[in-house]
Structures are given as C-alpha cells and as structure tokens.
Amino acid sequence: MEAASQFCHERGLPFLEVRSLTKTYQVGGSTVRALRSVDFSAMQGDFVVINGPSGSGKTTFLNLISAIDRPSDGEVLIEGVSTNDLSDRQLARLRKERIGLIFQTFNLIPVLSASENTEYPLLLQKLPKTERVERVRSMLAEVGLEDLAHRRPNELSGGQRQRIAIARALITRPKLVLADEPTANLDSETGVQVMDLMRRLNQEHCVVFIVVTHDPAVTQYAQRQIRIHDGRLIEDDQP
Amino acid sequence: MTWWIPLRSLFRNRRRTLLSVAIIAFGTAISLFVFGFLEDSRLQIQATTVNEYGNLQIASSDLWEDTADGYDYLILPELEAEILALLAEHREITGVTSQLQFPGLIAAGRQTQVVRITAQIPSNKTLNIDDFVIDGRPLQSSDVAAVLMGRSLADRLGLGVDDVVTLTLTTVDGAYNATPLRIVGIYRFTAEQVELRSLFMPQAFAQVLLNTSGVDRIIVNLRSIADTDSATSSIQRQLDDAGLPLEVLTWYELSPFYQQLSGFFDILFGFLTLAVFILVFFIILQVLTLAFLERTREIGTIRALGATRGEVFSQLLVESVWLALFGSLTGVLLGFLMGTVFNAIGIEWRPPGTAEASILSVQINLMTVLPPFGVSIIATLLSAIFPAVQTSRLRVVDALRVE
C-alpha cells in the first residue's frame, strides 16, 4: 500500500490547482464573499482534509473544484485545464470521467438498488453491459456490500448507504474524489469504517481525496490538513 | 439513457402516478367512446346513402347541374352501350345498372302527391329496391302499370297493396300523359324522405310512358366503399378520353345530407378532441411539475454525477412517455369495455330523417382507437416538455441545496 502511495507522490505536476479562487454571492442588497482569493494544489494520491467552521466557505470551495459551480474570479485547473474555459457540456463530461462525488446525505437514487446506484455513472458513460456488471461486482466487493447488491437505499443502514455512495464515486475510476462531510450522518464506529475504506481506496487507486469535514476524528486520516476561515485558506499542513 | 430507470421513477409515488394514469385513461376512454359512436353513426348513414345512390352515378352534366332543356340529358341506348363497355374493364365494379327518374303527380281518391318515379330494371340486382319490399311483391320485368310505394307515403295516403293510383306526367316531347298504376308492393327504406317521395316501376314501362328509349343515369356499385375515389377518377378519365360528355359523381357528392352530417361529426369530434387535450394537458402539466420539483435534489445529484441537461431532459421525457402509454392504453381498454357493454345493452333510437329505429352502437376498431390514443399521447408528452426543460436547466449547485 505504502509503495503505491509513494509512487503516486512521485508525479511532477499537480493534478488539481486552484488560483486566486473567489466566490461572491448577492444576498439581498449586500455582497457576501464566500471565498477570498484561495490558492491550493493537490498532487496525484493526496488525501486532503478541509476543516473549518460552518459558513467558512468549505462547501463553496468543494463545489467549485468539483465543477458544479463557477467561480466569480480566479480559476480551477484540473490536469492543467481551466474549468473556466469549459462549456456546461464539457464540465458534465469532466465530472463524469474525472471526478467522483460523495455527499453528506448520500444522495442515492431511491428507486434504484445498491448495484444500480453504483452502476449509474457507468450508464452515463455508456459502457457495455458486461463491463458494467463486472465493475459493479468488483466495486461492491471492495466496499464489502456484495450481498446487499439488490437492496434499495431505504433497506440499507446509513453506513451501508455511504459505502454505496463511495462505490458510486469510484466506479468510473476517477482521479479526484470529493467528499462533503462523509461521516456527518453516521455513528462514530461506522464513520471510522467509512474513513478507513476511503483511505484504503486512496492508497490503492492513487486517487486524490479531498474531504470536507467538521469531524475531528476524520482529521487523523489527513495526509494534508487545510483550514478555511472566513473564505480564506489559513493553514496548509503538508506532511 | 435507459428505459427502465424512468419507468421505476414513474412509480415511486404510486398514488400520484395512478391518478395521472386515471386522468389520461378517462380522457382517452371518453374520447374513444364518443368517437366510436359518431363513427358508427357515420358508417350507418354511409351505408344508407350507398343503398340509395349506389357508389357512383354517371350522367350528363346537365342533369347534375339542372341546366337541361327538357329531357336533353337522357343517355340513349347507343351511348349507354358504349359506357357499359368501358365499365366492363373495371375489376373493382361489382354491379352496373341504369335508371330513369322523372317527376310525376299521383292521385288517390281526393288526395294528390308530387313524387319522383325511379324506373329500374327488375332483373338487375344492382341498387334494386326488391330487398326492401315488406308487403306485396317485388317488381317483375313483365309488369305493366305496376308500382312499388314507400310505407310512409302509403300510410299517409291510406293505401296498400293492390290499390290503384293515377300518375300524371310529362313525356319527353312535352305532352301530358296519365296512367293508372297498381301498387304491387310496399317497401321500407332507412331514409324517410325516400319513402315519402319515391315510387319504383319497371324501366321498360316507364320508357313507354315517357316516350323514350333512354335512361338518365348509369349506376355503379363497387367492391368496397374505399375504392370510390380511385374508381371515380379512373372512370372520369376514360369518359373524357372517349370524348363522352358525362360526369361521374360519388355517393357522397350525391347526398348533401351526408356531407352536412359528416361535417357536423367532424366539428363535434374536433371539439371533443380539443376538450380532452386541454384536460389531459393542464392536469398532467400540474402533476409533472410537482413530481419533478420534488426530485430537484436527485436531479442535481444526477447532473453532479455527469449527466448533461439533455440527458436529464430525455430521462424525464421518457418518464412521460411511459405515463402516456400506460394512461392511453388503459383508456383504450376502458373505452373498449364501455363500448362493448353499450353495444350489448342495445339501446334503440330513431335518428331524425330515418324511417325506423335502429340500435345505437359504438364502433371500436383501429381507426376509431388511433385518434383518441394519439391525442392523449401527444397531450401528455407536450405537458411534460415545459417542466422537463425547467428541471433540466436548474443549476447543479442550486438543485443540490434543495432539501
């Protein structure tokens, strides 16, 4: 595992680069600055934990680097390509092929089973059925939910749902996985299991993991820890 | 995208989906039932009209336009033979006959009545009144001074079989002629107007009365009513090519009543279709807007996973395709059931202008099913477009924020 992780860190150029990233919102008559000129970069295989109080700009930061929102100023570069230069369709393609997303509330599609939820991004990629079935089977085995493949989300526990969400995020073999409070709706024991899983997958697959959290227990998994306060990146503890 | 994910999504809120299906089905069924009823009425009137006029009639334009000087429009035997030879080439023709119609005045005791005499060839079964004789006997070729009278006229004049009336007419030379006629049979026809106005007699005797050897029209029956237009244009072309000054009219051109009624049915069906369209469109629009709105966060997730706006739109539209299919098919089944029950009850009704009551029935076949089915499908799909476009255009980040 460590060898794989070591190999990941030997890459030269950053996978993700953020330059002077700024996001402002108009609320009523006033302007709220959610992010103020943030600079950041992540290398292949990084496991980054972002802390910060509520309203500090963590989720805004995550939304911008996951290409589901556009910055007011500055830019996000993924593999050297600025998301500012991409059309809506190209951003969708970037998310589909390069980025995996894990949500605080799991965001599974309620009418689909665990295996179908996992398969969904592959359907978007229009992969052949045989390949989809094989990858879903392998991914569910990796998150330890092979036996629950046919259950609907409402038949699964919180921890199991989050594992399915992780499987869904990783099924496309993305290079960047972004997780927003992945343990917030889990008990502490399940939270530890989920974080162990994410860390293991990070090391095995050389995937960049960026995790936004309030949970101090999550911080111990950080290879790098970042603190955001009042829209500013105020600390970057690199190993 | 796949077809099964929208199908599953459709049934996540079963109560709402069933309500939508019920609304579409109700609209389709009512539309199908009424359309089937109108179509059945139209077919009955069509059959009556063809029974009265044949499928086609060939005559001089002067007859059709009423511009003849006396009996100038008559088709003399030489011309008639030429026409018959020409018609013999048509395989879609099942029968040809000739008729001679002329006005007359009948007197029975102190009563008189203006009538139209239709002189036919008794041995020719094409457009023959024989099948409608309910009392007495049909005409025979050897009959002299014999006539068939409609029951409505016979009732009005208080006449019956073997009674004698006096017919007064004008010959082709303009001379008056009068003859006693024996009523050999009473006929019953679907159109009351025919019963009140038309007397039938053998053609040979009528030609003697009129002092002519001609007829005024050639009547053609076709294998199928659907052949009407093609046969008309083909025969007309042949007549024109042969330089014959004749015009072919179809059964529907000969019957202004059918044209008016058919037009009225079309308008009625148009209004009904519009009403069903509006009902289905606005209710389903409301239902789908709500259904898609409730799934804003899910749509945001799908977009975040990499689905394009187009893919989200297609998925929502496929949902409405399923809804439209379920609703319309259920409606067709319901309409079929309603029609079957209605036909089984066998309600009697005498439509205006007909001589006797007929059984009300509903036609249910592919031609009556397709228009209501199509209207419901189109209304449902159109009603889905606006909410589907709106939902697919949501900003991902905003959609994900919705609780």
Side-chain angles (χ1 to χ4, degrees):
Chain A
M1 302 292 173
E2 282 305 315
S5 184
Q6 189 67 34
F7 173 76
C8 292
H9 288 107
E10 284 173 4
R11 305 289 171 89
L13 290 170
F15 175 79
L16 170 71
E17 202 173 351
V18 168
R19 294 176 186 162
S20 307
L21 197 63
T22 301
K23 183 72 182 176
T24 56
Y25 298 104
Q26 292 297 322
V27 180
S30 59
T31 302
V32 175
R33 303 189 72 184
L35 276 184
R36 299 162 189 247
S37 198
V38 169
D39 292 305
F40 169 80
S41 66
M43 307 296 286
Q44 194 73 47
D46 273 357
F47 195 104
V48 183
V49 173
I50 301 175
N51 295 130
S54 291
S56 60
K58 304 187 297 296
T59 298
T60 302
F61 182 63
L62 211 62
N63 288 341
L64 291 172
I65 59 179
S66 61
I68 62 172
D69 199 4
R70 289 187 183 269
S72 306
D73 202 3
E75 61 180 344
V76 175
L77 294 99
I78 295 174
E79 292 186 306
V81 176
S82 172
T83 58
N84 291 356
D85 299 334
L86 301 180
S87 66
D88 198 62
R89 181 176 279 273
Q90 287 169 321
L91 287 177
R93 188 172 174 185
L94 176 75
R95 291 194 297 271
K96 183 165 64 181
E97 293 177 353
R98 293 276 188 274
I99 300 172
L101 292 171
I102 300 168
F103 302 92
Q104 179 179 344
T105 47
F106 324 128
N107 289 25
L108 298 177
I109 299 170
V111 292
L112 303 184
S113 67
S115 63
E116 288 162 350
N117 263 290
T118 310
E119 187 187 359
Y120 195 88
L122 300 183
L123 286 169
L124 291 175
Q125 289 193 348
K126 298 180 173 62
L127 290 191
K129 182 163 185 170
T130 46
E131 190 177 346
R132 294 199 313 263
V133 169
E134 180 51 35
R135 277 166 77 165
V136 168
R137 191 197 57 73
S138 155
M139 187 51 69
L140 286 178
E142 205 155 356
V143 298
L145 289 177
E146 266 176 312
D147 298 339
L148 304 179
H150 298 296
R151 290 204 183 168
R152 296 273 174 98
N154 61 355
E155 298 166 334
L156 298 170
S157 69
Q160 288 166 339
R161 288 185 212 180
Q162 197 56 297
R163 281 163 186 263
I164 295 298
I166 292 169
R168 181 179 67 182
L170 289 169
I171 192 83
T172 57
R173 297 169 186 161
K175 294 190 171 178
L176 171 65
V177 172
L178 304 164
D180 190 6
E181 305 276 11
T183 58
N185 286 312
L186 306 177
D187 60 60
S188 56
E189 189 182 341
T190 313
V192 168
Q193 287 172 7
V194 164
M195 287 313 298
D196 283 344
L197 173 67
M198 287 169 63
R199 187 74 180 108
R200 179 168 63 79
L201 294 171
N202 159 252
Q203 289 174 337
E204 286 177 6
H205 297 282
C206 272
V207 176
V208 181
F209 266 77
I210 298 177
V211 181
V212 162
T213 187
H214 269 112
D215 186 354
V218 173
T219 310
Q220 63 182 312
Y221 292 88
Q223 194 182 48
R224 286 172 60 191
Q225 188 185 344
I226 287 170
R227 178 169 292 278
I228 293 184
H229 191 75
D230 284 344
R232 285 197 173 85
L233 193 151
I234 57 169
E235 194 178 327
D236 188 346
D237 298 331
Q238 301 226 18
Chain B
M1 288 303 295
T2 60
W3 57 267
W4 54 271
I5 294 178
L7 182 61
R8 296 246 195 105
S9 296
L10 186 65
F11 283 97
R12 70 178 65 200
N13 187 330
R14 288 207 175 112
R15 188 181 294 179
R16 185 166 52 213
T17 302
L18 289 177
L19 176 71
S20 307
V21 166
I23 291 162
I24 299 166
F26 176 74
T28 310
I30 291 293
S31 181
L32 172 58
F33 184 81
V34 177
F35 186 50
F37 177 71
L38 293 178
E39 192 57 21
D40 187 77
S41 306
R42 194 202 301 259
L43 287 176
Q44 282 190 27
I45 294 163
Q46 206 172 74
T48 304
T49 310
V50 172
N51 277 337
E52 186 180 349
Y53 295 100
N55 286 102
L56 309 174
Q57 292 192 3
I58 302 167
S60 161
S61 307
D62 287 337
L63 176 68
W64 301 137
E65 290 158 19
D66 201 17
T67 53
D69 184 12
Y71 283 92
D72 283 355
Y73 53 80
L74 289 180
I75 299 168
L76 296 173
E78 196 177 321
L79 180 56
E80 185 182 349
E82 205 173 337
I83 298 166
L84 294 179
L86 192 143
L87 296 177
E89 298 168 15
H90 287 264
R91 293 173 63 188
E92 72 275 28
I93 293 177
T94 55
V96 179
T97 191
S98 60
Q99 278 187 357
L100 175 59
Q101 295 184 7
F102 56 94
L105 184 73
I106 57 165
R110 301 178 69 177
Q111 301 178 87
T112 56
Q113 174 77 39
V114 175
V115 293
R116 183 184 63 175
I117 308 292
T118 298
Q120 61 177 30
I121 305 167
S123 58
N124 190 327
K125 294 302 168 194
T126 300
L127 207 70
N128 198 305
I129 196 70
D130 287 0
D131 295 341
F132 299 90
V133 174
I134 55 165
D135 195 10
R137 63 168 176 83
L139 293 170
Q140 294 167 357
S141 297
S142 57
D143 279 337
V144 173
V147 73
L148 293 178
M149 182 176 279
R151 193 171 80 178
S152 300
L153 181 60
D155 288 349
R156 181 179 288 183
L157 300 177
L159 298 171
V161 174
D162 286 339
D163 286 337
V164 175
V165 294
T166 303
L167 171 68
T168 309
L169 64 137
T170 309
T171 69
V172 295
D173 316 308
Y176 285 106
N177 198 355
T179 181
L181 295 173
R182 179 175 300 280
I183 300 170
V184 296
I186 302 290
Y187 71 87
R188 191 86 168 103
F189 200 75
T190 36
E192 192 177 24
Q193 205 57 24
V194 173
E195 281 190 15
L196 284 171
R197 294 273 175 204
S198 293
L199 297 185
F200 290 82
M201 70 167 56
Q203 198 177 95
F205 179 67
Q207 286 173 329
V208 171
L209 285 179
L210 283 177
N211 193 24
T212 181
S213 57
V215 294
D216 68 350
R217 69 197 69 203
I218 307 291
I219 294 168
V220 175
N221 268 359
L222 298 171
R223 187 174 46 202
S224 160
I225 207 163
D227 293 331
T228 302
D229 289 337
S230 59
T232 303
S233 42
S234 165
I235 294 168
Q236 185 64 63
R237 197 165 45 244
Q238 281 182 299
L239 293 171
D240 293 345
D241 289 349
L244 303 178
L246 298 165
E247 192 178 344
V248 187
L249 290 194
T250 61
W251 57 271
Y252 55 82
E253 288 170 319
L254 289 160
S255 170
F257 174 70
Y258 176 81
Q259 291 186 46
Q260 287 166 2
L261 205 66
S262 189
F264 174 69
F265 283 178
D266 287 343
I267 290 170
L268 208 59
F269 182 68
F271 274 116
L272 176 75
T273 303
L274 188 66
V276 169
F277 183 91
I278 289 170
L279 171 86
V280 171
F281 180 85
F282 283 103
I283 296 179
I284 299 300
L285 175 70
Q286 187 75 16
V287 169
L288 289 182
T289 302
L290 192 65
F292 294 165
L293 194 69
E294 280 176 6
R295 285 159 54 196
T296 302
R297 190 184 177 85
E298 181 183 314
I299 302 295
T301 304
I302 291 169
R303 293 270 286 123
L305 293 177
T308 60
R309 285 175 178 167
E311 284 167 331
V312 170
F313 175 77
S314 319
Q315 187 166 334
L316 298 176
L317 206 63
V318 173
E319 268 186 55
S320 68
V321 169
W322 280 116
L323 185 66
L325 281 176
F326 282 130
S328 304
L329 286 174
T330 310
V332 167
L333 287 177
L334 189 65
F336 181 80
L337 194 70
M338 286 162 62
T340 307
V341 170
F342 185 81
N343 290 347
I345 293 170
I347 299 167
E348 277 199 355
W349 183 63
R350 186 183 161 191
T354 59
E356 60 185 11
S358 57
I359 303 285
L360 288 182
S361 61
V362 176
Q363 279 282 326
I364 297 177
N365 53 41
L366 194 62
M367 291 313 293
T368 55
V369 162
L370 279 180
F373 181 77
V375 166
S376 295
I377 295 265
I378 291 168
T380 308
L381 292 185
L382 287 180
S383 69
I385 287 177
F386 177 67
V389 166
Q390 260 199 329
T391 309
S392 64
R393 292 181 72 85
L394 286 169
R395 289 178 70 229
V396 184
V397 69
D398 293 335
L400 284 170
R401 277 198 200 108
V402 173
E403 291 299 327

